[in-house]
Amino acid sequence: MPLSEWSDKWLATLSLKETTRAEYESLLRSRILPVFGATSINRITPAAIREWTASMIDDGLSPSRIRAAKGRLSQCLQMAVVDGLLLRNPADGVGTPPVRGRPQRFLDVDDVAVLAAAAEARQHPGGLVVEILAYVGLRWGELVALRRSRVDLLRRRIEVAESATEIGATLSWGTPKNHQPRTVTMPSTVVDKLAIHLGTGPSEGLVFTAPRGGPLRSSTWRRNVWLPATNKVGIDSLRVHDLRHTAASLMISSGASIKAVQRQLGHATATMTLDLYGHLYDDDLDALADALDRRIADSPAPPARPQRAPRGRGEVVDLPTDRPESHT
């Protein structure tokens, strides 16, 4: 059976979010099927996969994209192993270039204020968008999909239950990244500005919309607001997602526990949060040592205990703490 036919069967078995399915189909269409589509699955060899991987490196494809393409091919072939059509997966053991994560960038409160002002000057309410991303930690898609009915100003809470993802020229609406809704908090300064913003529009609908109506679009907002604002304040190469890193950094420096940061950001586990931001807790070690120093210094000195020495088998005798001087 050719891979093109087998991959259709494989995709049909998967329960995927619309955005994930679109990504899989894109990799099949652009990278996998042009090379292996007409090849029978039992004739795909590890050598052919290594050669294919090397060709993607030569084409300048990013390591993450190469790894994703090879991963989808491996998953597809693994189903053939499970079904007994292949004895082993030819993709097993074929390496891919290491994926080096982009360094995280964090803004301080002053940086956020300057950037928010520059964004507001470009387009209202650009400043509030920046502040919610930087102080609340929403993902961009969660902010785009945020509805007015999910904002509780009195309790300073936002219910995050939807997300919008761009797929080509359309938006895909679904659940947040880990499929779980969550409730997050926001500082009073954001609440005050959000209250003013919500008071200027209808009681229903999206919190943020494009100037001519409809939901915000990432590419348009980035071109018209984000890039001009970051260039104006001299913060080059800053991504919108770096505001989410900023939110984590500000929460941690304000004393939030790793569990609280996990809940606020919507990570599946606290381990994931630690993997991403554990290094920001290094200052806690100094604080811990300082706290222990204070505890030790404040504790009373223990009373002197008499020395005891063995006198005989199973017996001990108390020795005086101050021995008289010897006169011999």
Side-chain angles (χ1 to χ4, degrees):
M1 180 183 297
L3 184 70
S4 57
E5 182 178 341
W6 182 252
S7 64
D8 288 340
K9 295 179 180 294
W10 168 65
L11 276 177
T13 67
L14 302 179
S15 177
L16 304 171
K17 292 182 67 173
E18 185 178 348
T19 51
T20 305
R21 184 173 296 277
E23 179 190 357
Y24 283 24
E25 291 174 346
S26 172
L27 286 168
L28 284 166
R29 183 174 59 254
S30 63
R31 291 292 165 181
I32 300 173
L33 295 182
V35 177
F36 298 110
T39 306
S40 176
I41 57 174
N42 63 355
R43 292 186 176 276
I44 298 175
T45 64
I49 297 176
R50 283 194 296 269
E51 186 176 328
W52 168 63
T53 302
S55 70
M56 289 190 287
I57 296 174
D58 292 340
D59 290 343
L61 205 65
S62 69
S64 60
R65 188 72 170 170
I66 294 173
R67 177 170 291 190
K70 187 257 180 177
R72 301 299 82 76
L73 175 61
S74 180
Q75 287 178 322
C76 182
L77 294 174
Q78 185 60 34
M79 191 177 82
V81 175
V82 173
D83 286 359
L85 300 179
L86 295 177
L87 292 178
R88 62 180 297 272
N89 188 336
D92 287 349
V94 177
T96 56
V99 178
R100 295 179 175 84
R102 183 170 177 171
Q104 297 170 346
R105 297 186 64 181
F106 310 102
L107 304 182
D108 59 27
V109 173
D110 292 338
D111 292 331
V112 173
V114 171
L115 181 58
E120 183 67 23
R122 291 292 306 177
Q123 179 179 295
H124 177 74
L128 183 56
V129 169
V130 168
E131 291 185 342
I132 287 183
L133 293 174
Y135 294 144
V136 180
L138 297 185
R139 300 178 179 92
W140 172 261
E142 294 169 347
L143 178 134
V144 170
L146 181 60
R147 300 185 181 278
R148 291 169 173 258
S149 59
R150 301 193 185 279
V151 177
D152 187 336
L153 295 173
L154 292 178
R155 296 179 58 242
R156 300 189 303 174
R157 296 291 189 269
I158 291 175
E159 182 187 3
V160 182
E162 295 178 273
S163 183
T165 305
E166 292 189 29
I167 303 177
T170 63
L171 280 176
S172 173
W173 300 81
T175 57
K177 191 169 184 178
N178 64 355
H179 302 283
Q180 294 295 323
R182 70 186 189 278
T183 299
V184 300
T185 189
M186 48 185 164
S188 296
T189 54
V190 171
V191 172
D192 294 341
K193 295 177 182 179
L194 190 54
I196 295 173
H197 172 67
L198 293 176
T200 62
S203 58
E204 298 296 330
L206 297 173
V207 172
F208 297 104
T209 58
R212 296 183 180 180
L216 292 176
R217 301 302 296 266
S218 174
S219 55
T220 303
W221 197 84
R222 185 174 182 274
R223 181 179 64 250
N224 294 340
V225 180
W226 182 253
L227 290 179
T230 55
N231 289 337
K232 181 179 179 180
V233 301
I235 308 178
D236 298 328
S237 303
L238 187 74
R239 301 173 301 167
V240 175
H241 193 73
D242 288 326
L243 294 181
R244 183 166 159 85
H245 295 322
T246 293
S249 172
L250 293 175
M251 284 185 276
I252 291 170
S253 63
S254 299
S257 68
I258 199 68
K259 195 66 179 177
V261 176
Q262 175 212 344
R263 291 175 57 193
Q264 183 79 5
L265 296 182
H267 290 157
T269 64
T271 301
M272 178 180 178
T273 310
L274 275 172
D275 288 342
L276 287 171
Y277 303 117
H279 62 286
L280 297 179
Y281 282 91
D282 284 348
D283 290 343
D284 283 0
L285 298 178
D286 294 329
L288 174 61
D290 292 341
L292 287 172
D293 281 337
R294 290 192 297 270
R295 182 69 179 270
I296 294 169
D298 292 342
S299 64
R305 297 181 61 185
Q307 299 181 28
R308 310 187 79 187
R311 187 171 189 177
R313 185 172 182 179
E315 295 183 76
V316 295
V317 61
D318 291 339
L319 297 179
T321 56
D322 296 319
R323 294 187 178 182
E325 294 184 0
S326 174
H327 298 286
T328 59

